[in-house]
Amino acid sequence: MSKYTENEENKENRKNKEKTLTRRKLITRAGALGGILLTGCDTDFYVPPKVRPGLMGIADTLTMASQRLLLSGQQLVQEHDISEITKNFPVWNQSNPEDEEYQRLRRGNYVDWQLPVTGLVNQPRSFSLEELKRFPQQTQITSHICEQGWSAIAQWIGAQLLHVLEAAGGVKPEARYVMIDAYGGWYEGYDFFDVVHPQTILAYGMNGKDLPLGNGAPVRLRVERHCGYKQLKFIKSIQVVSSVEGFGRGTGGLNSDFGFHWYAGA
Amino acid sequence: MKHQSRIQKSKEWVYRHSLNARICHWITVVSFVYLLLSGIMIFLQFPELYWGKVGFQGYPAVFRLSDWGLSWEEADALGNRRWGRSYHYLFAWIFISNGVIYLGWNLWQKKFYKKMLPSRDELRLSHLKADLGNHVRFRAAKGNAARHYNVLQKISYLMVLFLLFPFMLVSGLAQMPAFTAISPELIDLFGGRQTARTLHVVATVILVLFVLVHVIEVFVAGAVNQIRAMITGNYAIQAEDEK
Protein backbone atom coordinates (compact mmCIF):
# COMPACT_ATOMS: atom_id res chain seq x y z
CA MET A 1 0.00 0.00 0.00
CA SER A 2 2.35 2.72 1.11
CA LYS A 3 6.07 2.98 1.59
CA TYR A 4 5.90 3.64 5.34
CA THR A 5 3.35 1.09 6.54
CA GLU A 6 5.90 -1.45 7.75
CA ASN A 7 6.38 0.69 10.81
CA GLU A 8 2.80 0.46 12.05
CA GLU A 9 3.82 -2.38 14.33
CA ASN A 10 6.60 -0.35 15.88
CA LYS A 11 4.13 2.41 16.48
CA GLU A 12 1.83 0.12 18.42
CA ASN A 13 4.71 -1.06 20.58
CA ARG A 14 5.86 2.41 21.27
CA LYS A 15 2.38 3.57 22.11
CA ASN A 16 2.04 0.90 24.76
CA LYS A 17 5.48 1.37 26.19
CA GLU A 18 5.78 5.08 26.28
CA LYS A 19 2.63 6.63 27.64
CA THR A 20 4.64 9.36 29.25
CA LEU A 21 8.31 10.04 29.67
CA THR A 22 9.47 9.77 33.21
CA ARG A 23 11.49 12.65 34.54
CA ARG A 24 14.55 10.45 34.75
CA LYS A 25 14.18 9.39 31.17
CA LEU A 26 13.76 13.00 30.15
CA ILE A 27 17.01 13.99 31.79
CA THR A 28 18.71 11.03 30.17
CA ARG A 29 17.31 12.12 26.82
CA ALA A 30 18.53 15.64 27.38
CA GLY A 31 21.86 14.31 28.62
CA ALA A 32 22.32 12.56 25.31
CA LEU A 33 22.29 15.99 23.74
CA GLY A 34 25.38 17.05 25.61
CA GLY A 35 25.28 20.10 27.78
CA ILE A 36 21.56 20.60 28.24
CA LEU A 37 20.21 19.71 31.63
CA LEU A 38 16.50 20.02 32.07
CA THR A 39 15.89 20.87 35.65
CA GLY A 40 12.73 22.21 37.22
CA CYS A 41 14.33 25.53 38.03
CA ASP A 42 15.29 26.36 34.48
CA THR A 43 13.19 29.48 34.10
CA ASP A 44 13.68 29.51 30.33
CA PHE A 45 10.94 26.94 30.00
CA TYR A 46 8.37 29.10 31.72
CA VAL A 47 9.04 32.43 30.05
CA PRO A 48 9.05 33.28 26.33
CA PRO A 49 12.38 34.59 24.94
CA LYS A 50 11.00 38.09 24.78
CA VAL A 51 8.27 39.03 27.24
CA ARG A 52 5.82 41.60 25.94
CA PRO A 53 5.52 44.76 28.02
CA GLY A 54 2.80 45.30 30.59
CA LEU A 55 -0.15 43.12 31.48
CA MET A 56 0.06 41.26 28.18
CA GLY A 57 3.49 39.93 29.11
CA ILE A 58 2.21 38.79 32.51
CA ALA A 59 -0.66 36.94 30.85
CA ASP A 60 1.67 35.32 28.29
CA THR A 61 3.98 34.16 31.04
CA LEU A 62 1.13 32.87 33.21
CA THR A 63 -0.19 30.86 30.28
CA MET A 64 3.18 29.41 29.32
CA ALA A 65 4.38 28.77 32.87
CA SER A 66 1.16 27.08 34.02
CA GLN A 67 1.00 24.81 30.99
CA ARG A 68 4.69 23.95 31.09
CA LEU A 69 4.44 23.13 34.77
CA LEU A 70 1.58 20.74 34.05
CA LEU A 71 3.52 19.30 31.09
CA SER A 72 6.68 18.67 33.08
CA GLY A 73 6.10 14.92 32.73
CA GLN A 74 6.53 15.47 28.96
CA GLN A 75 3.25 13.67 28.30
CA LEU A 76 2.60 12.56 24.75
CA VAL A 77 -0.31 14.09 22.89
CA GLN A 78 -3.31 11.95 22.11
CA GLU A 79 -2.96 9.76 19.03
CA HIS A 80 -5.82 8.82 16.78
CA ASP A 81 -6.78 5.67 14.98
CA ILE A 82 -5.67 5.30 11.38
CA SER A 83 -9.35 5.34 10.35
CA GLU A 84 -9.70 8.87 11.74
CA ILE A 85 -7.18 10.38 9.32
CA THR A 86 -8.69 13.38 7.54
CA LYS A 87 -9.12 13.14 3.80
CA ASN A 88 -8.40 16.45 2.07
CA PHE A 89 -6.17 17.75 4.86
CA PRO A 90 -6.27 21.53 4.35
CA VAL A 91 -3.38 23.36 2.74
CA TRP A 92 -3.01 26.61 4.62
CA ASN A 93 -0.81 29.67 4.17
CA GLN A 94 2.26 29.01 2.07
CA SER A 95 1.63 26.20 -0.42
CA ASN A 96 4.62 26.48 -2.78
CA PRO A 97 7.45 28.89 -1.90
CA GLU A 98 8.54 31.00 -4.82
CA ASP A 99 12.26 30.96 -3.90
CA GLU A 100 14.26 30.05 -6.95
CA GLU A 101 16.37 27.68 -4.89
CA TYR A 102 13.27 25.90 -3.59
CA GLN A 103 11.83 25.54 -7.07
CA ARG A 104 15.12 24.05 -8.31
CA LEU A 105 15.10 21.52 -5.46
CA ARG A 106 11.47 20.68 -6.10
CA ARG A 107 12.09 20.03 -9.80
CA GLY A 108 14.93 17.71 -8.76
CA ASN A 109 12.56 15.84 -6.45
CA TYR A 110 14.54 17.16 -3.45
CA VAL A 111 17.51 14.88 -4.15
CA ASP A 112 19.78 17.90 -3.69
CA TRP A 113 17.95 19.12 -0.58
CA GLN A 114 20.32 19.46 2.36
CA LEU A 115 19.54 20.38 5.95
CA PRO A 116 22.44 22.26 7.56
CA VAL A 117 22.54 21.98 11.36
CA THR A 118 24.81 24.71 12.66
CA GLY A 119 25.40 27.04 15.57
CA LEU A 120 25.98 25.68 19.07
CA VAL A 121 26.31 22.03 18.06
CA ASN A 122 29.53 20.13 18.59
CA GLN A 123 29.80 18.87 15.01
CA PRO A 124 27.97 21.14 12.57
CA ARG A 125 26.92 19.20 9.51
CA SER A 126 24.25 18.72 6.85
CA PHE A 127 21.72 15.97 6.36
CA SER A 128 20.22 14.85 3.09
CA LEU A 129 16.66 13.59 2.88
CA GLU A 130 17.98 10.02 2.61
CA GLU A 131 20.06 10.52 5.76
CA LEU A 132 17.04 11.83 7.68
CA LYS A 133 15.12 8.74 6.67
CA ARG A 134 17.82 6.53 8.17
CA PHE A 135 17.11 7.80 11.71
CA PRO A 136 14.78 5.67 13.85
CA GLN A 137 11.39 6.35 12.37
CA GLN A 138 8.79 8.09 14.49
CA THR A 139 5.19 7.78 13.34
CA GLN A 140 2.29 9.57 14.97
CA ILE A 141 -1.35 10.16 14.08
CA THR A 142 -2.21 13.47 15.66
CA SER A 143 -4.48 16.48 15.44
CA HIS A 144 -3.20 19.56 13.70
CA ILE A 145 -4.77 22.45 15.62
CA CYS A 146 -4.82 25.82 13.94
CA GLU A 147 -5.16 28.85 16.20
CA GLN A 148 -7.85 30.09 13.83
CA GLY A 149 -10.10 27.30 14.99
CA TRP A 150 -9.84 24.49 12.49
CA SER A 151 -8.31 21.09 13.13
CA ALA A 152 -7.57 17.99 11.09
CA ILE A 153 -5.95 14.62 11.69
CA ALA A 154 -2.96 13.19 9.84
CA GLN A 155 -0.26 10.61 10.21
CA TRP A 156 3.22 12.10 10.34
CA ILE A 157 6.42 10.16 9.74
CA GLY A 158 9.82 11.55 10.54
CA ALA A 159 13.00 11.68 12.59
CA GLN A 160 13.02 13.02 16.12
CA LEU A 161 14.62 16.45 16.22
CA LEU A 162 16.52 15.30 19.29
CA HIS A 163 18.15 12.46 17.32
CA VAL A 164 19.17 14.83 14.57
CA LEU A 165 20.83 17.20 17.05
CA GLU A 166 22.57 14.24 18.67
CA ALA A 167 23.91 13.22 15.28
CA ALA A 168 25.37 16.71 14.98
CA GLY A 169 27.43 15.97 18.07
CA GLY A 170 24.93 17.23 20.65
CA VAL A 171 24.63 20.82 21.75
CA LYS A 172 26.91 23.09 23.73
CA PRO A 173 25.97 24.03 27.33
CA GLU A 174 24.98 27.59 26.43
CA ALA A 175 22.42 26.40 23.83
CA ARG A 176 18.94 27.72 24.61
CA TYR A 177 16.90 27.82 21.42
CA VAL A 178 16.68 25.99 18.12
CA MET A 179 15.95 28.39 15.28
CA ILE A 180 14.53 26.83 12.13
CA ASP A 181 14.47 28.62 8.81
CA ALA A 182 12.04 27.80 6.05
CA TYR A 183 11.87 28.48 2.34
CA GLY A 184 9.59 31.41 1.65
CA GLY A 185 10.99 33.50 4.49
CA TRP A 186 9.36 31.95 7.55
CA TYR A 187 11.39 31.16 10.63
CA GLU A 188 10.49 30.01 14.10
CA GLY A 189 12.29 29.37 17.38
CA TYR A 190 11.81 26.50 19.84
CA ASP A 191 13.18 25.82 23.30
CA PHE A 192 14.64 22.53 24.48
CA PHE A 193 11.52 21.65 26.41
CA ASP A 194 9.95 20.98 23.02
CA VAL A 195 13.10 19.73 21.33
CA VAL A 196 13.46 16.73 23.67
CA HIS A 197 9.82 15.69 23.29
CA PRO A 198 9.57 12.38 21.39
CA GLN A 199 6.76 13.70 19.20
CA THR A 200 8.83 16.66 18.03
CA ILE A 201 9.89 15.41 14.65
CA LEU A 202 11.23 16.53 11.31
CA ALA A 203 8.45 14.96 9.25
CA TYR A 204 9.21 13.78 5.73
CA GLY A 205 6.12 11.61 5.40
CA MET A 206 2.40 12.14 5.71
CA ASN A 207 -0.35 9.51 5.66
CA GLY A 208 2.03 6.81 4.47
CA LYS A 209 3.46 8.82 1.57
CA ASP A 210 6.13 11.45 1.05
CA LEU A 211 5.17 14.83 2.48
CA PRO A 212 3.06 16.57 -0.20
CA LEU A 213 4.07 19.96 -1.59
CA GLY A 214 1.26 21.92 0.05
CA ASN A 215 2.02 20.45 3.45
CA GLY A 216 5.65 21.53 3.41
CA ALA A 217 7.71 19.16 1.23
CA PRO A 218 10.24 17.81 1.63
CA VAL A 219 10.40 18.26 5.44
CA ARG A 220 8.26 20.07 7.97
CA LEU A 221 8.31 20.26 11.74
CA ARG A 222 5.76 18.64 14.01
CA VAL A 223 5.80 20.06 17.51
CA GLU A 224 2.55 18.62 18.72
CA ARG A 225 1.80 20.60 21.86
CA HIS A 226 1.52 23.83 19.88
CA CYS A 227 -0.91 25.44 17.47
CA GLY A 228 -0.45 25.16 13.73
CA TYR A 229 1.67 28.26 13.28
CA LYS A 230 4.57 26.59 15.09
CA GLN A 231 4.47 23.60 12.68
CA LEU A 232 6.96 25.10 10.26
CA LYS A 233 6.77 23.86 6.66
CA PHE A 234 9.42 23.78 3.89
CA ILE A 235 12.35 23.51 6.30
CA LYS A 236 15.62 24.96 5.04
CA SER A 237 18.11 25.03 7.91
CA ILE A 238 18.53 24.59 11.66
CA GLN A 239 20.64 26.75 13.91
CA VAL A 240 21.19 26.19 17.63
CA VAL A 241 21.62 29.48 19.50
CA SER A 242 21.95 30.91 23.00
CA SER A 243 19.72 33.89 22.29
CA VAL A 244 17.10 34.86 19.73
CA GLU A 245 18.64 38.33 19.28
CA GLY A 246 19.41 39.12 15.68
CA PHE A 247 16.61 37.01 14.20
CA GLY A 248 13.91 39.23 12.71
CA ARG A 249 12.61 41.59 15.34
CA GLY A 250 14.16 39.53 18.10
CA THR A 251 11.00 37.95 19.48
CA GLY A 252 12.05 34.39 18.60
CA GLY A 253 9.93 33.75 15.53
CA LEU A 254 8.14 35.34 12.61
CA ASN A 255 4.70 34.78 14.16
CA SER A 256 5.68 36.52 17.37
CA ASP A 257 7.31 39.27 15.28
CA PHE A 258 3.79 39.72 13.88
CA GLY A 259 2.22 39.94 17.34
CA PHE A 260 1.14 36.35 18.03
CA HIS A 261 2.28 34.52 21.15
CA TRP A 262 5.70 32.91 20.83
CA TYR A 263 4.36 30.11 23.00
CA ALA A 264 1.52 28.54 21.04
CA GLY A 265 0.24 25.93 23.49
CA ALA A 266 -2.94 27.86 24.19
CA MET B 1 -50.49 62.89 40.54
CA LYS B 2 -46.75 63.24 40.57
CA HIS B 3 -46.26 64.66 44.05
CA GLN B 4 -49.04 62.58 45.42
CA SER B 5 -47.03 59.39 45.13
CA ARG B 6 -43.83 61.09 46.26
CA ILE B 7 -45.24 62.03 49.60
CA GLN B 8 -46.73 58.67 50.34
CA LYS B 9 -43.60 56.57 49.88
CA SER B 10 -41.01 56.17 52.56
CA LYS B 11 -37.51 54.98 51.85
CA GLU B 12 -35.42 52.56 53.80
CA TRP B 13 -31.76 51.91 53.07
CA VAL B 14 -30.33 48.42 53.27
CA TYR B 15 -26.72 47.36 52.77
CA ARG B 16 -27.17 44.92 49.93
CA HIS B 17 -23.81 44.16 48.28
CA SER B 18 -20.54 43.63 50.13
CA LEU B 19 -17.39 45.37 48.96
CA ASN B 20 -16.09 42.04 47.64
CA ALA B 21 -19.24 41.45 45.61
CA ARG B 22 -19.14 44.96 44.17
CA ILE B 23 -15.51 44.89 43.11
CA CYS B 24 -15.82 41.39 41.66
CA HIS B 25 -19.02 42.32 39.85
CA TRP B 26 -17.41 45.21 37.97
CA ILE B 27 -14.23 43.29 37.19
CA THR B 28 -16.50 40.60 35.78
CA VAL B 29 -18.32 43.20 33.68
CA VAL B 30 -15.10 44.57 32.18
CA SER B 31 -13.56 41.15 31.56
CA PHE B 32 -16.80 39.78 30.13
CA VAL B 33 -16.98 42.64 27.63
CA TYR B 34 -13.36 42.12 26.59
CA LEU B 35 -13.71 38.33 26.44
CA LEU B 36 -16.81 38.67 24.30
CA LEU B 37 -15.32 41.23 21.93
CA SER B 38 -12.00 39.41 21.57
CA GLY B 39 -13.87 36.13 21.12
CA ILE B 40 -15.93 37.66 18.34
CA MET B 41 -12.76 39.01 16.71
CA ILE B 42 -11.26 35.51 16.75
CA PHE B 43 -14.45 33.86 15.53
CA LEU B 44 -14.91 36.29 12.62
CA GLN B 45 -11.68 35.05 11.08
CA PHE B 46 -12.98 31.48 11.04
CA PRO B 47 -16.75 31.94 11.03
CA GLU B 48 -17.82 28.29 10.87
CA LEU B 49 -18.58 25.71 13.54
CA TYR B 50 -18.21 21.95 13.34
CA TRP B 51 -19.06 18.86 15.36
CA GLY B 52 -16.60 16.15 16.37
CA LYS B 53 -12.84 15.89 16.22
CA VAL B 54 -12.08 17.70 12.99
CA GLY B 55 -13.38 20.67 11.07
CA PHE B 56 -12.03 23.00 8.41
CA GLN B 57 -13.17 25.02 5.44
CA GLY B 58 -15.01 22.61 3.16
CA TYR B 59 -15.85 20.15 5.93
CA PRO B 60 -19.58 19.77 6.79
CA ALA B 61 -20.33 22.59 9.21
CA VAL B 62 -23.10 22.91 11.81
CA PHE B 63 -23.01 26.69 11.51
CA ARG B 64 -21.80 29.01 8.78
CA LEU B 65 -21.89 32.77 9.18
CA SER B 66 -22.13 33.03 5.39
CA ASP B 67 -25.61 31.46 5.64
CA TRP B 68 -26.59 34.51 7.67
CA GLY B 69 -25.52 37.12 5.18
CA LEU B 70 -21.89 37.75 6.05
CA SER B 71 -19.47 36.19 3.59
CA TRP B 72 -16.20 34.59 4.70
CA GLU B 73 -14.17 37.46 3.25
CA GLU B 74 -16.31 40.15 4.88
CA ALA B 75 -16.16 38.44 8.26
CA ASP B 76 -12.41 37.92 7.93
CA ALA B 77 -11.89 41.62 7.22
CA LEU B 78 -13.85 42.56 10.35
CA GLY B 79 -12.01 40.16 12.64
CA ASN B 80 -8.56 40.44 14.17
CA ARG B 81 -6.99 37.36 15.72
CA ARG B 82 -3.76 38.99 16.75
CA TRP B 83 -5.62 41.45 18.94
CA GLY B 84 -8.32 38.93 19.76
CA ARG B 85 -6.11 36.12 20.98
CA SER B 86 -3.92 38.41 23.08
CA TYR B 87 -6.87 40.03 24.84
CA HIS B 88 -8.85 36.80 25.13
CA TYR B 89 -6.11 35.17 27.22
CA LEU B 90 -5.31 38.32 29.19
CA PHE B 91 -8.91 38.75 30.27
CA ALA B 92 -9.38 35.02 30.75
CA TRP B 93 -6.68 35.23 33.43
CA ILE B 94 -8.28 38.30 35.00
CA PHE B 95 -11.72 36.68 34.84
CA ILE B 96 -10.51 33.44 36.39
CA SER B 97 -8.49 35.10 39.18
CA ASN B 98 -11.44 37.33 39.96
CA GLY B 99 -13.80 34.36 39.88
CA VAL B 100 -11.65 32.29 42.20
CA ILE B 101 -11.46 35.16 44.71
CA TYR B 102 -15.21 35.75 44.47
CA LEU B 103 -16.17 32.10 44.79
CA GLY B 104 -13.66 31.46 47.55
CA TRP B 105 -14.74 34.47 49.59
CA ASN B 106 -18.43 33.78 49.24
CA LEU B 107 -18.14 30.08 49.93
CA TRP B 108 -16.13 30.90 53.04
CA GLN B 109 -18.65 33.52 54.12
CA LYS B 110 -21.50 31.12 53.29
CA LYS B 111 -23.02 33.89 51.14
CA PHE B 112 -24.18 31.52 48.43
CA TYR B 113 -25.91 29.46 51.06
CA LYS B 114 -27.53 32.48 52.70
CA LYS B 115 -28.38 34.59 49.69
CA MET B 116 -28.63 32.40 46.62
CA LEU B 117 -29.78 28.96 47.67
CA PRO B 118 -33.53 28.81 47.02
CA SER B 119 -35.56 27.68 50.00
CA ARG B 120 -37.91 24.72 49.77
CA ASP B 121 -40.87 27.07 49.80
CA GLU B 122 -39.49 29.04 46.89
CA LEU B 123 -39.04 25.91 44.84
CA ARG B 124 -42.73 25.01 45.02
CA LEU B 125 -44.40 25.13 41.64
CA SER B 126 -46.94 27.75 42.71
CA HIS B 127 -44.18 30.07 43.92
CA LEU B 128 -42.15 29.56 40.76
CA LYS B 129 -45.23 30.30 38.66
CA ALA B 130 -45.97 33.47 40.59
CA ASP B 131 -42.36 34.60 40.30
CA LEU B 132 -42.31 33.89 36.60
CA GLY B 133 -45.53 35.90 36.26
CA ASN B 134 -43.88 38.88 37.95
CA HIS B 135 -40.94 38.66 35.57
CA VAL B 136 -43.05 38.35 32.47
CA ARG B 137 -45.14 41.36 33.50
CA PHE B 138 -41.97 43.29 34.41
CA ARG B 139 -43.25 43.73 37.91
CA ALA B 140 -40.37 44.43 40.28
CA ALA B 141 -40.33 43.37 43.89
CA LYS B 142 -41.25 45.97 46.47
CA GLY B 143 -41.00 46.28 50.21
CA ASN B 144 -39.84 43.20 52.09
CA ALA B 145 -39.63 41.09 48.95
CA ALA B 146 -36.99 43.47 47.57
CA ARG B 147 -34.66 42.63 50.43
CA HIS B 148 -33.83 39.27 48.91
CA TYR B 149 -33.14 37.85 45.51
CA ASN B 150 -36.24 36.26 44.04
CA VAL B 151 -36.17 32.58 43.21
CA LEU B 152 -35.63 32.85 39.45
CA GLN B 153 -32.85 35.32 40.13
CA LYS B 154 -31.26 32.90 42.58
CA ILE B 155 -31.47 30.00 40.16
CA SER B 156 -30.07 31.97 37.23
CA TYR B 157 -27.18 33.38 39.27
CA LEU B 158 -26.27 29.93 40.53
CA MET B 159 -26.43 28.50 37.01
CA VAL B 160 -24.19 31.23 35.62
CA LEU B 161 -21.68 31.00 38.47
CA PHE B 162 -21.47 27.25 38.84
CA LEU B 163 -22.42 25.95 35.41
CA LEU B 164 -21.87 28.41 32.59
CA PHE B 165 -18.67 30.09 33.78
CA PRO B 166 -16.91 26.78 34.55
CA PHE B 167 -18.20 25.41 31.25
CA MET B 168 -16.66 28.33 29.37
CA LEU B 169 -13.34 27.62 31.04
CA VAL B 170 -13.37 23.88 30.39
CA SER B 171 -14.54 24.17 26.78
CA GLY B 172 -11.84 26.80 26.24
CA LEU B 173 -9.12 24.59 27.68
CA ALA B 174 -10.31 21.68 25.53
CA GLN B 175 -9.30 23.67 22.44
CA MET B 176 -5.70 24.22 23.54
CA PRO B 177 -3.12 21.80 22.13
CA ALA B 178 -0.95 21.96 25.25
CA PHE B 179 -3.87 21.49 27.55
CA THR B 180 -5.21 18.47 25.73
CA ALA B 181 -1.73 16.96 26.03
CA ILE B 182 -2.01 17.51 29.78
CA SER B 183 -5.53 16.12 29.88
CA PRO B 184 -6.67 14.21 26.77
CA GLU B 185 -9.83 13.29 28.74
CA LEU B 186 -11.06 16.79 27.95
CA ILE B 187 -11.37 15.95 24.25
CA ASP B 188 -13.14 12.70 25.05
CA LEU B 189 -15.46 14.53 27.44
CA PHE B 190 -16.70 16.69 24.59
CA GLY B 191 -16.25 14.09 21.86
CA GLY B 192 -13.78 16.24 19.96
CA ARG B 193 -12.24 19.67 20.08
CA GLN B 194 -14.53 21.02 17.37
CA THR B 195 -17.51 20.12 19.52
CA ALA B 196 -15.82 21.94 22.41
CA ARG B 197 -15.37 25.01 20.19
CA THR B 198 -18.99 24.91 19.04
CA LEU B 199 -20.30 24.54 22.60
CA HIS B 200 -17.99 27.37 23.71
CA VAL B 201 -19.89 29.58 21.25
CA VAL B 202 -23.30 28.20 22.28
CA ALA B 203 -22.53 28.91 25.95
CA THR B 204 -21.42 32.41 24.94
CA VAL B 205 -24.80 33.03 23.34
CA ILE B 206 -26.57 31.81 26.50
CA LEU B 207 -24.39 34.11 28.61
CA VAL B 208 -25.15 37.08 26.37
CA LEU B 209 -28.87 36.33 26.73
CA PHE B 210 -28.42 36.17 30.48
CA VAL B 211 -26.69 39.57 30.45
CA LEU B 212 -29.50 41.04 28.32
CA VAL B 213 -32.19 39.85 30.71
CA HIS B 214 -30.05 40.92 33.67
CA VAL B 215 -29.74 44.47 32.29
CA ILE B 216 -33.45 44.63 31.41
CA GLU B 217 -34.29 43.60 34.98
CA VAL B 218 -32.02 46.31 36.33
CA PHE B 219 -34.11 48.86 34.46
CA VAL B 220 -37.38 47.23 35.49
CA ALA B 221 -36.37 47.35 39.16
CA GLY B 222 -35.04 50.89 38.85
CA ALA B 223 -31.72 51.47 37.17
CA VAL B 224 -30.48 54.26 39.45
CA ASN B 225 -31.20 52.38 42.64
CA GLN B 226 -29.78 49.10 41.29
CA ILE B 227 -26.60 50.55 39.86
CA ARG B 228 -26.07 52.75 42.92
CA ALA B 229 -26.39 49.64 45.08
CA MET B 230 -23.73 47.86 43.03
CA ILE B 231 -21.40 50.85 43.51
CA THR B 232 -22.04 51.99 47.11
CA GLY B 233 -23.62 48.84 48.44
CA ASN B 234 -26.71 50.66 49.67
CA TYR B 235 -30.10 49.81 48.23
CA ALA B 236 -33.21 51.86 48.78
CA ILE B 237 -36.37 49.95 49.55
CA GLN B 238 -39.71 51.59 48.98
CA ALA B 239 -42.33 50.70 51.48
CA GLU B 240 -45.18 48.72 50.00
CA ASP B 241 -48.21 50.73 48.98
CA GLU B 242 -50.73 50.28 51.71
CA LYS B 243 -54.29 50.96 50.96
Side-chain angles (χ1 to χ4, degrees):
Chain A
M1 174 191 131
S2 65
K3 48 197 288 194
Y4 297 115
T5 38
E6 67 274 6
N7 287 80
E8 276 309 301
E9 256 175 69
N10 292 349
K11 202 200 91 187
E12 269 311 306
N13 286 338
R14 190 185 45 72
K15 239 168 110 177
N16 297 334
K17 255 187 284 171
E18 238 181 319
K19 280 276 184 246
T20 58
L21 271 180
T22 60
R23 169 138 214 96
R24 188 204 182 111
K25 219 165 155 192
L26 172 66
I27 292 169
T28 318
R29 278 178 77 84
L33 264 180
I36 296 295
L37 247 181
L38 294 169
T39 57
C41 46
D42 196 335
T43 53
D44 280 0
F45 297 149
Y46 303 108
V47 185
K50 187 147 190 186
V51 183
R52 294 196 276 179
L55 278 177
M56 215 53 94
I58 297 174
D60 290 351
T61 307
L62 272 173
T63 304
M64 179 170 173
S66 59
Q67 296 197 341
R68 282 291 174 80
L69 211 61
L70 292 167
L71 283 169
S72 56
Q74 292 280 1
Q75 299 91 318
L76 298 176
V77 306
Q78 191 182 51
E79 292 208 32
H80 300 278
D81 189 74
I82 203 155
S83 64
E84 294 179 292
I85 290 176
T86 304
K87 294 160 193 84
N88 319 318
F89 191 95
V91 170
W92 216 251
N93 288 332
Q94 196 163 235
S95 55
N96 186 4
E98 284 169 15
D99 297 36
E100 234 166 82
E101 191 191 345
Y102 181 79
Q103 292 303 325
R104 184 180 58 78
L105 293 168
R106 186 173 72 85
R107 281 191 299 272
N109 212 14
Y110 309 108
V111 173
D112 293 334
W113 180 85
Q114 287 280 328
L115 178 67
V117 179
T118 59
L120 299 170
V121 286
N122 291 316
Q123 290 143 35
R125 55 166 290 192
S126 278
F127 299 90
S128 69
L129 200 50
E130 280 314 304
E131 281 170 315
L132 274 190
K133 289 179 181 175
R134 260 178 254 141
F135 282 98
Q137 201 179 81
Q138 162 76 14
T139 305
Q140 58 210 37
I141 302 174
T142 53
S143 282
H144 177 96
I145 301 135
C146 179
E147 49 70 45
Q148 286 182 290
W150 64 270
S151 61
I153 296 169
Q155 178 202 51
W156 306 101
I157 306 135
Q160 290 184 14
L161 181 56
L162 179 76
H163 291 159
V164 175
L165 292 181
E166 277 169 9
V171 301
K172 300 202 160 108
E174 61 272 32
R176 282 293 171 272
Y177 299 102
V178 174
M179 306 302 289
I180 307 186
D181 259 325
Y183 288 103
W186 289 82
Y187 78 98
E188 204 44 67
Y190 308 87
D191 59 16
F192 279 87
F193 189 91
D194 282 325
V195 171
V196 300
H197 194 254
Q199 288 172 322
T200 299
I201 62 173
L202 294 168
Y204 44 74
M206 181 185 181
N207 300 339
K209 302 197 178 81
D210 284 336
L211 191 65
L213 174 63
N215 299 102
V219 172
R220 78 175 301 171
L221 187 73
R222 294 302 308 173
V223 46
E224 300 289 355
R225 296 170 299 180
H226 289 274
C227 287
Y229 65 80
K230 278 277 186 184
Q231 325 289 337
L232 207 62
K233 302 198 279 188
F234 309 106
I235 288 178
K236 185 182 183 181
S237 64
I238 294 178
Q239 199 180 345
V240 180
V241 297
S242 61
S243 150
V244 300
E245 291 292 324
F247 293 88
R249 293 188 198 164
T251 66
L254 193 60
N255 288 292
S256 43
D257 284 351
F258 285 160
F260 284 91
H261 290 194
W262 179 82
Y263 175 75
Chain B
M1 216 176 122
K2 211 168 150 198
H3 21 110
Q4 198 187 358
S5 55
R6 273 258 173 90
I7 302 158
Q8 295 299 330
K9 280 179 182 167
S10 56
K11 256 188 204 172
E12 188 198 338
W13 291 95
V14 289
Y15 186 62
R16 193 178 204 190
H17 304 295
S18 69
L19 184 65
N20 166 277
R22 272 134 57 202
I23 294 174
C24 289
H25 174 267
W26 292 113
I27 294 178
T28 304
V29 171
V30 174
S31 8
F32 183 80
V33 168
Y34 267 97
L35 280 165
L36 179 65
L37 288 179
S38 55
I40 291 172
M41 292 310 243
I42 299 169
F43 178 75
L44 281 172
Q45 298 207 317
F46 211 87
E48 289 188 357
L49 296 172
Y50 313 91
W51 203 258
K53 291 182 176 174
V54 300
F56 46 88
Q57 238 182 323
Y59 191 84
V62 294
F63 175 87
R64 264 182 243 273
L65 198 58
S66 58
D67 294 341
W68 296 79
L70 200 64
S71 76
W72 187 289
E73 291 72 24
E74 286 166 333
D76 185 67
L78 289 172
N80 185 342
R81 268 163 20 249
R82 221 175 340 165
W83 183 88
R85 281 174 62 80
S86 294
Y87 276 83
H88 210 64
Y89 293 133
L90 171 61
F91 278 96
W93 277 111
I94 294 174
F95 189 86
I96 290 163
S97 321
N98 182 55
V100 166
I101 291 169
Y102 175 79
L103 291 180
W105 174 264
N106 285 288
L107 284 172
W108 182 51
Q109 296 281 312
K110 296 209 172 92
K111 287 269 171 72
F112 294 123
Y113 180 73
K114 289 177 195 159
K115 296 178 86 173
M116 286 190 196
L117 202 68
S119 68
R120 192 167 285 183
D121 270 354
E122 286 176 320
L123 285 175
R124 265 194 313 219
L125 196 64
S126 56
H127 186 100
L128 288 171
K129 266 187 189 163
D131 202 31
L132 187 66
N134 286 339
H135 280 275
V136 174
R137 272 172 249 136
F138 295 117
R139 203 190 286 149
K142 281 185 188 144
N144 262 342
R147 288 171 194 275
H148 316 285
Y149 293 142
N150 61 62
V151 64
L152 290 184
Q153 205 175 3
K154 286 178 176 177
I155 293 171
S156 59
Y157 288 176
L158 286 175
M159 297 253 277
V160 167
L161 288 172
F162 292 100
L163 233 94
L164 280 170
F165 283 166
F167 185 84
M168 290 308 286
L169 173 64
V170 173
S171 57
L173 292 175
Q175 297 174 59
M176 299 179 182
F179 215 90
T180 49
I182 295 161
S183 172
E185 300 80 16
L186 269 184
I187 313 175
D188 303 331
L189 180 75
F190 286 99
R193 71 180 73 238
Q194 292 301 334
T195 308
R197 179 171 178 262
T198 299
L199 293 178
H200 196 71
V201 174
V202 170
T204 304
V205 173
I206 297 175
L207 275 173
V208 169
L209 290 175
F210 165 79
V211 170
L212 278 179
V213 173
H214 184 66
V215 171
I216 290 171
E217 292 291 351
V218 164
F219 279 91
V220 169
V224 174
N225 195 20
Q226 290 281 334
I227 295 168
R228 181 177 51 208
M230 203 33 108
I231 295 169
T232 67
N234 294 314
Y235 186 68
I237 292 183
Q238 309 282 359
E240 274 172 292
D241 298 334
E242 282 155 285
K243 274 251 159 92

